Amino acid sequence: MRKTEIEEKNMTDINKMENGPMLNLYPDSLGGDLEAVADLFERDGFADAFSSIYILPSIYHSDLDRGFSVIDYDLEETFHSEKALLRLGRQNIDLKLDFVLNHASVQSPQFQDLLENGSRSEYRDFFIDWNAFWENCGEMTEDGYIQPAQKYLDPMFFRKPGLPLLMVEMADGSRIPYWNTFYQEIRDTDDYHTRYLGQMDLNIKSEKVWDFYRETIKKLAGYGAKIIRLDAFAYAPKAPGRANFLNEPETWEFLEQIHKLAKPCGIRLLPEIHAGYKEKKYELIAQKGYLTYDFFLPGLILDALYRGDGTYLEQWAKEQIKENIHTVNMLGCHDGIPVLDLAGLLPDDRIEDLIRLLVDRGGFVKDLHGNKKMYYQVNTTYYNALGENEQALLLARALQIFMPGKPQVWYLDLFAGSNDYEAVKRAGAGGHKEINRTNFTQKDIESGLKKEVVKKQLEMLKFRKEFPAFGFDAEMEIRTKPAAQISDQAENALHFAKIPDEQMYNRIYITWKKDGYLARLSADLKAHTYRIQALDPSGNLIWQMF
């Protein structure tokens, strides 16, 4: 299929994109605010390890879901300021921010105006009136909302039990259902302005919504954003009789329109989507010329280290190179370890074994809308997922920086953080994600920076950032056992061991080459040992770690 001009240009931009490591955190994760983070980035031993920072959306005004229920995109000055963002910019740190395309908070000024003024509101079409959407597609219930006919529900995918709607009482006493894909809560209070909490879906057919998109992208660019992660973008295009997730071609047309708004601002888009490997949604995003998230890597590395077998890790890396799939990869993140995404890449029994292992090591399983057979993620720190084994964490980080993609590093993984069960208790029902979101005090940071496991990760990341062999346009080779023909000199340099054939897949070898520079990783997946080597264009060994 021939690529469009935009898709070709996107791919060219990605090839040129700075691909060094990116630190991922909330604005209050390290030291309480973004000023403390800017201080950290100015320190020797930390400053040279990262070229980008991804600040999660509690940087904005929000009320739920640790920032993803956005009230507005002005900066929340409690934790951060434009001054701190400018300090990071002066250090040549690229900024990545979130834009939630599908929904906005009930507390947003647009929804509050709708609540107050009803049909007289200038935002009356800004959100999706459930009954107007489903007119002539079902039967009106006694509760005042349309129950769509089953033929309309069959292709749909719901993120929670029941229909995705919230019945809202307007100022005039009328009750109107609005589309609500994700979170909702109704609190027992007489004040209708604060009774409802939730994330209300936006109507992308409204010109007001497109004005909002345009203004928000300009605002994020004004903060210095170079990358925008598009949260929940695939839920935005909706039509009766169609799926409510990743409709085609509407989703791609929608994404292209967002790209046209972002391009003049110098912003690259990172569409975020979770789907099983067998569905190939990641491939569709890549074919359109966009970066995509590597949600497969966290589970693949855990599987490889647990079993001492890099077969599937090798398979995924080779596919990315062959199909020109450009990713942002990761170990842990704010959302736990994806397992839904592994379907079709790892055998089902290996996925089930992996889930059991992570639960045995203290993790919590999150399922989709109560369906115990549709596992979505496991909430745990990556350090706990590795059995709190520092050597395994170092090997996992080494594998990450040698896999294709731009490495994204969750701050808690960097500091070998453990599961926070007290935070889960404080969060109450549905608070499993807080297990992996512990905020560090300045004292915690100082203590962590003295640990060898932290120092070595930072050294690895600095190497990944500065050594010229890596890049989206570099050459990569990967294998899980030595080549059939290999010289004595090369074998010695790679530290190959004489091991039986049946143990060959315990070993993995990854090489990157560019402009005469060569970086290689040789590792034993079962023993958790590794060696990283860097060679200059003359073949001289100029750096190594083991």
Side-chain angles (χ1 to χ4, degrees):
M1 182 175 66
R2 185 179 180 278
K3 290 184 181 294
T4 68
E5 183 178 342
I6 282 182
E7 291 163 0
E8 293 283 6
K9 187 68 169 62
N10 286 353
M11 194 60 71
T12 300
D13 288 346
I14 288 174
N15 284 331
K16 296 177 180 177
M17 179 181 173
E18 194 291 316
N19 73 102
M22 172 164 51
L23 183 65
N24 178 203
L25 76 174
Y26 289 100
D28 55 340
S29 291
L30 294 176
D33 58 31
L34 209 56
E35 291 287 350
V37 175
D39 290 342
L40 188 58
F41 267 81
E42 292 172 354
R43 294 179 60 151
D44 291 339
F46 199 97
D48 297 329
F50 298 97
S51 57
S52 306
I53 185 169
Y54 169 27
I55 307 171
L56 284 154
S58 53
I59 195 171
Y60 314 130
H61 294 141
S62 57
D63 56 356
L64 293 170
D65 199 16
R66 195 71 185 265
F68 282 95
S69 183
V70 180
I71 296 173
D72 65 53
Y73 287 83
D74 291 342
L75 293 181
E76 173 49 71
E77 297 290 337
T78 306
F79 301 129
H80 35 78
S81 65
E82 289 193 54
K83 178 184 174 184
L85 294 176
L86 288 171
R87 286 177 63 194
L88 291 167
R90 284 196 294 269
Q91 298 172 63
N92 295 317
I93 301 297
D94 284 346
L95 177 62
K96 173 184 163 189
L97 295 174
D98 282 290
F99 186 13
V100 185
L101 291 177
N102 180 69
H103 49 264
S105 168
V106 167
Q107 303 301 318
S108 66
Q110 296 91 345
F111 201 80
Q112 288 298 304
D113 188 274
L114 177 63
L115 284 174
E116 182 68 31
N117 297 301
S119 61
R120 294 179 290 106
S121 170
E122 63 176 307
Y123 298 105
R124 61 186 177 277
D125 297 324
F126 198 86
F127 302 92
I128 302 175
D129 182 320
W130 178 269
N131 287 346
F133 182 93
W134 291 109
E135 187 176 7
N136 300 321
C137 296
E139 298 293 330
M140 182 65 70
T141 67
E142 293 181 358
D143 292 323
Y145 64 85
I146 290 176
Q147 172 69 45
Q150 191 60 43
K151 67 178 181 180
Y152 294 108
L153 296 178
D154 287 340
M156 298 180 72
F157 171 78
F158 295 153
R159 290 295 303 266
K160 58 187 181 182
L163 294 175
L165 62 86
L166 177 64
M167 292 295 298
V168 178
E169 185 175 340
M170 312 301 280
D172 63 4
S174 62
R175 298 178 73 248
I176 299 177
Y178 282 91
W179 198 304
N180 166 246
T181 293
F182 292 93
Y183 185 91
Q184 65 167 260
E185 183 177 330
I186 303 175
R187 294 187 175 174
D188 189 16
T189 172
D190 292 331
D191 183 348
Y192 68 85
H193 282 292
T194 58
R195 172 182 291 176
Y196 305 102
L197 294 173
Q199 299 157 320
M200 309 309 295
D201 289 33
L202 306 184
N203 175 19
I204 65 171
K205 296 179 181 179
S206 166
E207 286 299 321
K208 283 282 188 184
V209 167
W210 283 98
D211 289 342
F212 168 72
Y213 285 161
R214 187 176 298 105
E215 291 164 6
T216 301
I217 288 172
K218 288 180 179 178
K219 181 175 289 188
L220 302 187
Y223 297 150
K226 299 298 183 185
I227 305 172
I228 291 181
R229 172 184 175 270
L230 301 180
D231 182 76
F233 83 97
Y235 289 91
K238 302 178 180 71
R242 308 296 307 282
N244 59 318
F245 176 74
L246 219 153
N247 283 323
E248 297 183 75
E250 294 91 342
T251 300
W252 310 119
E253 293 168 351
F254 173 65
L255 191 55
E256 190 162 313
Q257 288 176 285
I258 298 296
H259 172 86
K260 289 177 179 177
L261 299 181
K263 185 64 179 176
C265 298
I267 286 174
R268 296 183 179 93
L269 301 179
L270 175 56
E272 183 262 353
I273 189 170
H274 279 284
Y277 170 85
K278 61 187 175 183
E279 298 178 47
K280 301 292 184 181
K281 304 303 185 187
Y282 66 92
E283 192 173 278
L284 287 172
I285 292 174
Q287 287 173 354
K288 300 294 181 183
Y290 296 98
L291 279 170
T292 185
Y293 265 118
D294 185 354
F295 288 126
F296 312 109
L297 189 63
L300 286 175
I301 288 180
L302 289 170
D303 173 81
L305 297 184
Y306 170 54
R307 293 179 176 272
D309 176 11
T311 304
Y312 293 99
L313 199 59
E314 178 184 12
Q315 172 188 321
W316 171 230
K318 287 181 173 178
E319 179 184 346
Q320 289 180 78
I321 298 301
K322 180 182 177 183
E323 302 298 333
N324 205 24
I325 297 168
H326 292 155
T327 72
V328 169
N329 68 34
M330 69 191 74
L331 298 180
C333 71
H334 73 287
D335 255 352
I337 296 169
V339 289
L340 167 74
D341 305 76
L342 294 170
L345 178 53
L346 282 180
D348 289 347
D349 60 340
R350 286 178 75 137
I351 297 174
E352 291 167 4
D353 284 349
L354 181 60
I355 292 171
R356 280 194 290 269
L357 174 71
L358 300 183
V359 171
D360 287 345
R361 290 177 173 176
F364 295 109
V365 172
K366 179 181 178 181
D367 53 72
L368 283 178
H369 46 78
N371 186 338
K372 298 298 183 182
K373 295 183 179 180
M374 289 186 69
Y375 294 127
Y376 184 59
Q377 62 189 210
V378 180
N379 299 121
T380 178
T381 69
Y382 214 79
Y383 183 52
N384 276 91
L386 291 166
E388 297 185 281
N389 182 325
E390 291 186 357
Q391 185 62 26
L393 178 59
L394 289 172
L395 176 51
R397 183 70 67 208
L399 288 167
Q400 181 199 9
I401 67 173
F402 269 82
M403 285 293 285
K406 180 179 176 69
Q408 180 174 292
V409 179
W410 184 234
Y411 76 98
L412 206 56
D413 297 343
L414 178 65
F415 284 90
S418 297
N419 285 346
D420 191 340
Y421 298 108
E422 288 302 315
V424 173
K425 289 180 183 177
R426 289 194 300 270
H432 289 172
K433 289 183 181 181
E434 297 306 312
I435 201 170
N436 188 32
R437 299 175 176 181
T438 307
N439 284 349
F440 278 20
T441 64
Q442 197 62 48
K443 184 178 179 180
D444 295 328
I445 295 169
E446 296 300 328
S447 175
L449 290 173
K450 295 175 183 177
K451 296 179 180 178
E452 280 303 306
V453 67
V454 178
K455 291 179 181 179
K456 283 196 169 185
Q457 285 185 81
L458 288 170
E459 192 176 348
M460 279 186 203
L461 292 163
K462 179 180 178 180
F463 163 68
R464 174 63 176 79
K465 173 177 178 281
E466 296 182 350
F467 194 64
F470 297 96
F472 287 117
D473 55 350
E475 178 185 350
M476 181 221 188
E477 293 180 359
I478 181 171
R479 58 182 182 273
T480 49
K481 62 179 180 179
Q485 300 296 323
I486 188 165
S487 69
D488 291 341
Q489 181 181 3
E491 180 172 331
N492 184 56
L494 283 167
H495 299 270
F496 287 158
K498 301 298 185 181
I499 53 179
D501 286 346
E502 65 270 17
Q503 296 178 23
M504 283 291 193
Y505 294 99
N506 290 356
R507 302 299 180 100
I508 193 165
Y509 310 94
I510 307 176
T511 304
W512 285 89
K513 300 176 185 177
K514 184 180 177 184
D515 298 332
Y517 291 91
L518 184 147
R520 62 189 169 208
L521 168 70
S522 56
D524 185 322
L525 298 171
K526 188 166 284 292
H528 298 161
T529 56
Y530 64 90
R531 184 177 295 267
I532 301 172
Q533 297 173 309
L535 281 69
D536 67 15
S538 298
N540 300 312
L541 181 66
I542 58 176
W543 183 85
Q544 67 175 335
M545 174 184 279
F546 52 89

